[in-house]
Amino acid sequence: MKHVATLLSILTTLGLILFLDGRISIPGNPLPPLAHFLHPVAGVWNNTTSLMPGDEELTMNGVQKASIVYDERWVPHIYASSMEDALFLQGYTEASNRLFQMDFMTRAAEGRLSEVMGPLTLAFDKSRNRSLIETTAQNAVIAWSKHPESMKLLQRYVDGVNAYISQLKPADYPVEYKLLDFKPELWTVKKSALVYSSMADVLCGRSDDLESTNSLAVLGRKLFDEFYPEQNDGGYPVIPYERKYDFKNEHASEAPDSISQGPFYQYYYENRTKGIGSNNWAVSPSKSLTGNAILCNDPHLSLTLPSIWIEEHIVTPEVNAYGVSFPGFPGIMIGFNDYIAWGETNVSQDVEDLFHVVWTGNDKTTYKSGTGVKEAKKVVKTIKIKNMPDVLDTIIYIDKGVVRFESNDGKTDLAVRWLPVDVKNEAEFMTFIDVMKSHNKAEFKKALRHFNTPAQNFIFASESGEIALFVNGLFPIRQNEDGRFVEPASNPEGDWQHYIPRDQNPYIENPISGYVTSSNQRSAGKDYPYYYTGKFEHARNMSINQKLRDTAKWDVAKMKKMQADNFNYFASKSLPVLLDILKTKHAQHPLIKQWSSWDYNYTASSMAATSYEALFKKIYELTFDEILMHQDTMDILYPEDWRMVDLISRDTNSMIFDLISTPEKKEDRRAIVLSAFDKISTGEQAAKNNIPWGSHKPLNINHYTRLPALSVRGLSVDGTTDAINAVGESYGPSWRMIIDMAGGEKTKAYGVYPGGQSGNPLSPYYKNMVATWSDHKYNELNHSSNPEKITKTKTIKINQ
Amino acid sequence: MSDKIYSLLATVITLCGTFFLPWWSIPTLIFVAAMFYKGSKLKAAGIATGIATMIWVSIAGIKDGLASEKAASLVAGIFGNIAPSLIFTLTGLIIGTVTGMAATSGKLVAGYFSKD
């Protein structure tokens, strides 16, 4: 008995030690090694921070005398003697504040999340292996390496990140590393390229080819054109109609690509996120109360903790630039310097095409091409999974791209071609570095010539009062409807062969209207000689253009108000018509009274917004029943809201209003509207109408791991995707910026994003700006080139 | 080894094992120390558990007390919205349980070498 007790005691002790040390893993156990995680000196307790951090003096090889001053919001102001040193210190500060985010983003891009997250993310990793993000990054590194200036600067940034990582002790690892029990890897140029290509994936890594093909197949051409007109006649293009084009499309006579026969009875896509987009606008001194050009930008992207942006100020003898950057990629993407201000919105043109591959054998080694067959290339990638055996993932490539979606029958698949893979500009990396250095429009334009993808609407304002907008990037030359549908991979001549010459991209400089603006709508008017397709915005651009046109003079206060504007243009167009119909039968109904006094603003407290959304959704469901009836069997193209508004307000007797389920009668707009009202004003839905908009559609700002404790969830905020303040359920204005471009120290700059500068959930700077953002307040951006004028929280002196 | 010496040794071992050595050195060294302790198994385990728990909880408490954002609250949230005080308890339990078990094992092994 004594032996048994001793043996049991020793084995229990050893077992406990091994378990708490993480040497014994229990499948499905989500806990980190607890003795490490809760270690009072090296564990999570060591990640707590003080409100009064001490100053530091550091010695760094290869860097001249420099300093990093953290201000009262933990914005690093980097004072260096050269751009090389500044980028080194940018890398250092980004790593010291956002290391886990940088690491996680690049692992996600490479399909390596399962290494640290376990089998939960295996499907995600497999999808990433078929995304072309890594191929794009690899191609970018090859191209950039041919440009010595790019590589020199990139390498300095990489060295800065690694200078931070190399001195890190396990006790100092960010909380998430301790929680997930892994170590940071050294940074590389490829990782920076992955950050870049990940953003390209977010902004242009999606097309509607499959959904369009399915919808065309089930609706037929006539109804398809009724449901999905390509042009909205009422919209303002990014580049206004006053811009005339004195060139021709030299390839206009080429034949359009053929279309694959759908439908494809299988689900491939998750629901598409609505709301990724952005606004920017600038007014010239003629429309400004201050006499300066004023530039505004608010990119609507995923709202995450930490934010996808980090605020930074870089000062060298040749540059004094302030703005936001993507952690992991050097330079400032949206910002200003002493002479100019700049920003971007996404162009939204479709640069991803799908191909239907017909295999000629069961092993998917050959596929139909022309009159013969071609060989596919197979690449086997090993996916490492935490606490599990590795998984081998076979990825198949055809001549046009990667096989992304495999069908259940194994005989045909869908492959993808993506423009960012195609052509890399060797100096593309230099775009934002050269923009930061620009003194005027000519230098700014020159910098933009390097930039290929993801195509952006670059907005510009200068201290001299110039404003401009450039639809900038690499665009394929397409014939009518090319890129709209799935194409047969068997056509060797199919898909784009040429690119629009750079100087034929649409742009406008100093327009007579006194303003420029973009919000992801169509790039140019119908007279632009090149066909393009994509997913374009139709409501915000109307609100913005009308406000800019109708307001004689602007100042910063008015710009702030405009960025916070919750007016839904679609609601303002459709609801008066709907009310005219509804009042004929339900004049005294409380909902009618509620809507009659509504100003179409989606404030958090608005009940009318909630009930109107329910009505609109129901009318949409009844109207587009012909296509929605297929949504349970295949990926369909959902008609856009602007088409619904168009039908409500203009096309009373459209055949689309007729319900499929009642062949014996013919419904019109009135019948559909009254039926929709009956459905939402009774029963369960009636109770749901009495919820304020902010509670009905709360905002979630999730941490990358989706852990609620590290996220901010259930925020009741103003806004909707079709308002200028385009807040969705987990996305929205990710950085609001307003620059009154007086020049030099006189420039007044304001900005805010929903998050905080630090990626450490135990830092007071982790989410300190969320409330500022949700209250529509701004921080004044201190861009002084004199470090003594910065309110200091902490100073790091380097080699002093 | 008397109660006093054993307690002092347990304190030194826990402090060294916390600040300078891998955490598992604490139960390992306590195991050895307990072999030379004259008291009962229960007392050996009790003293080791008490001292190790107190030291870990105290350090965690001081760090969290001085912090602007509380680690206990964050971890409590991560572990499913439990009370933050339970995170201190868990921190103490981790080291206390293993150290107590190591002391018990040490005493049991010492029994084989005892002349009694």
Side-chain angles (χ1 to χ4, degrees):
Chain A
M1 191 62 199
K2 185 183 167 186
H3 302 317
V4 175
T6 306
L7 193 66
L8 260 180
S9 179
I10 291 173
L11 286 178
T12 307
T13 309
L14 273 173
L16 268 174
I17 290 174
L18 292 172
F19 172 69
L20 293 170
D21 200 51
R23 307 294 171 101
I24 298 175
S25 59
I26 300 170
N29 169 32
L31 293 174
L34 287 172
H36 292 274
F37 187 64
L38 290 174
H39 193 289
V41 173
V44 66
W45 306 102
N46 197 45
N47 292 89
T48 54
T49 59
S50 161
L51 271 173
M52 295 296 290
D55 290 347
E56 280 183 79
E57 290 197 12
L58 299 176
T59 305
M60 290 180 178
N61 290 334
V63 181
Q64 300 206 358
K65 212 165 117 176
S67 63
I68 302 166
V69 179
Y70 281 99
D71 69 14
E72 73 277 17
R73 288 187 296 111
W74 206 246
V75 176
H77 301 256
I78 297 168
Y79 296 90
S81 58
S82 66
M83 184 56 85
E84 287 91 329
D85 284 2
L87 295 188
F88 180 95
L89 296 175
Q90 188 184 17
Y92 185 88
T93 51
E94 287 183 359
S96 59
N97 287 295
R98 300 289 184 86
L99 183 59
F100 173 76
Q101 177 188 13
M102 291 161 64
D103 192 334
F104 193 88
M105 276 171 65
T106 48
R107 282 178 189 275
E110 276 184 295
R112 289 180 57 209
L113 272 190
S114 301
E115 270 181 52
V116 297
M117 299 288 284
L120 203 67
T121 50
L122 181 59
F124 176 85
D125 284 341
K126 285 187 173 181
S127 74
R128 284 292 146 136
N129 286 344
R130 289 152 181 79
S131 73
L132 293 171
I133 296 174
E134 191 179 4
T135 311
T136 303
Q138 283 165 342
N139 290 355
V141 174
I142 292 167
W144 298 344
S145 62
K146 294 173 186 163
H147 190 267
E149 178 70 3
S150 293
M151 280 314 275
K152 186 175 74 179
L153 292 174
L154 260 167
Q155 194 55 52
R156 291 301 289 154
Y157 175 86
V158 170
D159 292 345
V161 175
N162 288 336
Y164 178 76
I165 294 173
S166 303
Q167 55 83 46
L168 265 187
K169 298 185 185 95
D172 301 322
Y173 288 171
V175 172
E176 296 92 336
Y177 286 96
K178 294 175 181 176
L179 191 60
L180 298 170
D181 190 31
F182 72 106
K183 296 174 185 173
E185 290 179 331
L186 285 179
W187 199 253
T188 59
V189 170
K190 185 188 165 190
K191 283 178 188 280
S192 284
L194 283 166
V195 172
Y196 193 63
S197 54
S198 293
M199 276 319 295
D201 179 62
V202 168
L203 295 170
C204 67
R206 182 72 161 83
S207 67
D208 289 332
D209 303 15
L210 177 64
E211 296 95 321
S212 298
T213 307
N214 286 344
S215 300
L216 177 64
V218 297
L219 292 174
R221 189 75 218 196
K222 191 179 173 206
L223 211 49
F224 180 86
D225 288 341
E226 279 286 314
F227 275 49
Y228 315 102
E230 281 211 271
Q231 297 267 6
N232 174 6
D233 292 336
Y236 294 84
V238 170
I239 304 305
Y241 292 107
E242 69 182 76
R243 173 89 166 86
K244 300 298 172 200
Y245 303 99
D246 56 359
F247 50 82
K248 286 180 183 171
N249 174 1
E250 300 295 336
H251 301 273
S253 59
E254 290 174 11
D257 296 328
S258 44
I259 300 172
S260 273
Q261 188 64 45
F264 299 92
Y265 284 106
Q266 192 173 330
Y267 285 117
Y268 295 102
Y269 286 119
E270 290 176 14
N271 284 339
R272 185 176 199 172
T273 307
K274 188 186 171 195
I276 297 286
S278 312
N279 303 322
N280 64 22
W281 61 84
V283 296
S284 68
S286 65
K287 278 184 84 78
S288 156
L289 279 170
T290 61
N292 308 314
I294 304 175
L295 180 145
C296 304
N297 194 186
D298 56 304
H300 312 150
L301 297 167
S302 285
L303 303 181
T304 56
L305 280 175
S307 166
I308 57 158
W309 300 110
I310 186 165
E311 222 175 304
E312 285 160 341
H313 180 203
I314 293 176
V315 183
T316 72
E318 57 176 341
V319 166
N320 176 20
Y322 192 117
V324 286
S325 174
F326 295 123
F329 195 80
I332 286 175
M333 277 81 231
I334 299 174
F336 61 101
N337 62 24
D338 286 342
Y339 310 97
I340 68 161
W342 67 92
E344 298 96 43
T345 65
N346 196 37
V347 167
S348 301
Q349 290 188 24
D350 173 8
V351 292
E352 182 187 88
D353 285 357
L354 247 62
F355 298 90
H356 187 218
V357 188
V358 179
W359 302 109
T360 52
N362 289 333
D363 55 356
K364 297 189 180 181
T365 50
T366 51
Y367 59 97
K368 277 188 186 172
S369 178
T371 51
V373 294
K374 265 191 179 171
E375 271 190 37
K377 182 181 146 194
K378 290 186 179 179
V379 174
V380 179
K381 196 171 169 185
T382 304
I383 302 179
K384 293 184 185 302
I385 307 172
K386 186 179 179 182
N387 299 332
M388 299 268 286
D390 295 349
V391 166
L392 297 179
D393 188 22
T394 304
I395 303 139
I396 309 172
Y397 293 85
I398 63 164
D399 57 350
K400 290 186 169 67
V402 67
V403 173
R404 180 171 292 173
F405 304 116
E406 295 185 28
S407 67
N408 291 333
D409 65 11
K411 292 175 183 166
T412 63
D413 289 334
L414 292 169
V416 172
R417 180 183 182 190
W418 192 36
L419 180 81
V421 181
D422 276 19
V423 182
K424 283 285 157 214
N425 187 321
E426 292 172 11
E428 189 168 29
F429 163 76
M430 293 301 291
T431 304
F432 292 103
I433 304 295
D434 288 345
V435 164
M436 283 164 66
K437 291 179 182 175
S438 295
H439 293 77
N440 51 46
K441 196 174 74 207
E443 290 178 12
F444 181 76
K445 282 171 76 173
K446 197 176 167 195
L448 295 192
R449 293 188 72 85
H450 308 312
F451 189 85
N452 276 358
T453 55
Q456 298 292 293
N457 299 307
F458 278 86
I459 197 161
F460 167 90
S462 71
E463 60 162 347
S464 62
E466 289 203 88
I467 57 170
L469 188 54
F470 305 90
V471 178
N472 188 56
L474 186 70
F475 299 101
I477 293 181
R478 294 184 181 279
Q479 307 313 320
N480 192 34
E481 292 209 316
D482 280 3
R484 221 181 159 194
F485 303 99
V486 177
E487 298 172 33
S490 57
N491 179 6
E493 301 301 318
D495 216 36
W496 68 77
Q497 313 283 336
H498 312 283
Y499 303 93
I500 296 175
R502 181 71 63 158
D503 57 2
Q504 293 182 3
N505 282 345
Y507 68 92
I508 187 121
E509 299 174 13
N510 303 315
I512 47 172
S513 64
Y515 65 85
V516 289
T517 176
S518 74
S519 44
N520 321 107
Q521 73 270 43
R522 294 189 71 84
S523 302
K526 284 177 181 171
D527 55 340
Y528 184 59
Y530 294 98
Y531 171 84
Y532 59 93
T533 184
K535 198 89 172 174
F536 300 108
E537 197 280 329
H538 298 272
R540 285 180 282 120
N541 80 80
M542 298 297 287
S543 299
I544 294 168
N545 269 284
Q546 286 172 6
K547 280 175 190 294
L548 288 170
R549 187 192 61 203
D550 297 344
T551 305
K553 296 281 184 182
W554 291 87
D555 61 9
V556 167
K558 285 181 182 173
M559 292 300 190
K560 285 181 179 175
K561 206 174 160 197
M562 179 142 144
Q563 282 192 330
D565 192 282
N566 301 304
F567 178 85
N568 184 341
Y569 174 81
F570 285 161
S572 77
K573 293 297 285 183
S574 61
L575 190 53
V577 180
L578 298 176
L579 281 173
D580 283 348
I581 296 167
L582 292 169
K583 278 176 182 170
T584 61
K585 198 177 170 191
H586 302 286
Q588 299 307 313
H589 196 284
L591 280 176
I592 304 301
K593 289 179 180 170
Q594 186 184 57
W595 290 330
S596 298
S597 59
W598 186 39
D599 58 3
Y600 315 115
N601 274 290
Y602 279 59
T603 53
S605 59
S606 173
M607 304 280 197
T610 308
S611 51
Y612 166 75
E613 281 288 317
L615 177 68
F616 188 85
K617 188 178 172 207
K618 191 52 72 182
I619 294 172
Y620 183 101
E621 285 170 7
L622 294 172
T623 305
F624 295 122
D625 58 335
E626 293 89 343
I627 188 65
L628 296 181
M629 64 187 284
H630 298 285
Q631 65 183 337
D632 294 333
T633 51
M634 66 179 82
D635 291 301
I636 57 156
L637 186 63
Y638 289 90
E640 294 191 67
D641 286 352
W642 74 264
R643 181 60 182 141
M644 184 73 257
V645 174
D646 209 37
L647 284 167
I648 290 171
S649 55
R650 295 205 303 197
D651 207 349
T652 320
N653 292 314
S654 171
M655 61 179 175
I656 302 176
F657 285 119
D658 191 22
L659 289 173
I660 291 256
S661 55
T662 55
E664 71 283 2
K665 38 178 196 176
K666 186 178 184 310
E667 288 82 4
D668 59 6
R669 182 182 69 177
R670 178 183 158 78
I672 293 299
V673 171
L674 291 173
S675 170
F677 183 82
D678 288 344
K679 287 183 166 63
I680 67 135
S681 58
T682 52
E684 265 184 44
Q685 184 55 47
K688 288 180 187 167
N689 294 335
N690 288 323
I691 300 170
W693 176 247
S695 307
H696 174 69
K697 239 178 184 179
L699 172 68
N700 296 320
I701 307 177
N702 283 314
H703 183 264
Y704 284 80
T705 59
R706 297 286 188 275
L707 280 170
L710 308 183
S711 309
V712 173
R713 290 189 168 178
L715 268 182
S716 173
V717 295
D718 300 337
T720 184
T721 49
D722 294 321
I724 298 174
N725 181 30
V727 178
E729 286 171 46
S730 59
Y731 40 85
S734 57
W735 165 244
R736 293 189 184 117
M737 183 183 83
I738 300 169
I739 313 294
D740 183 41
M741 202 58 225
E745 301 257 330
K746 289 180 188 164
T747 293
K748 290 280 183 193
Y750 305 86
V752 68
Y753 65 78
Q757 285 287 99
S758 172
N760 179 3
L762 289 168
S763 163
Y765 306 106
Y766 178 66
K767 53 186 177 188
N768 56 314
M769 291 193 285
V770 172
T772 317
W773 176 87
S774 63
D775 292 343
H776 303 299
K777 291 179 180 159
Y778 290 75
N779 300 301
E780 186 160 359
L781 313 180
N782 188 339
H783 55 100
S784 176
S785 56
N786 179 359
E788 296 307 315
K789 290 188 179 174
I790 307 294
T791 308
K792 296 180 180 69
T793 299
K794 174 178 176 165
T795 302
I796 302 174
K797 290 181 178 172
I798 296 122
N799 301 336
Q800 292 189 24
Chain B
M1 190 188 292
S2 67
D3 286 1
K4 270 188 184 173
I5 302 284
Y6 177 66
S7 301
L8 185 66
L9 201 57
T11 305
V12 171
I13 288 169
T14 307
L15 285 171
C16 288
T18 304
F19 285 99
F20 309 114
L21 299 169
W23 77 273
W24 46 260
S25 65
I26 300 170
T28 308
L29 293 172
I30 288 286
F31 172 87
V32 177
M35 288 176 69
F36 298 97
Y37 174 56
K38 284 187 176 170
S40 66
K41 288 194 288 281
L42 195 64
K43 214 169 169 186
I47 289 171
T49 299
I51 287 172
T53 301
M54 190 187 69
I55 289 175
W56 273 39
V57 171
S58 300
I59 298 169
I62 291 166
K63 286 201 165 197
D64 220 32
L66 294 173
S68 53
E69 304 291 320
K70 306 299 177 197
S73 303
L74 182 83
V75 178
I78 293 171
F79 286 0
N81 281 329
I82 56 175
S85 57
L86 284 178
I87 303 304
F88 290 104
T89 310
L90 185 60
T91 302
L93 263 179
I94 286 166
I95 195 67
T97 310
V98 186
T99 311
M101 285 301 301
T104 307
S105 303
K107 281 298 293 178
L108 283 167
V109 171
Y112 288 96
F113 301 104
S114 164
K115 289 175 186 172
D116 308 330

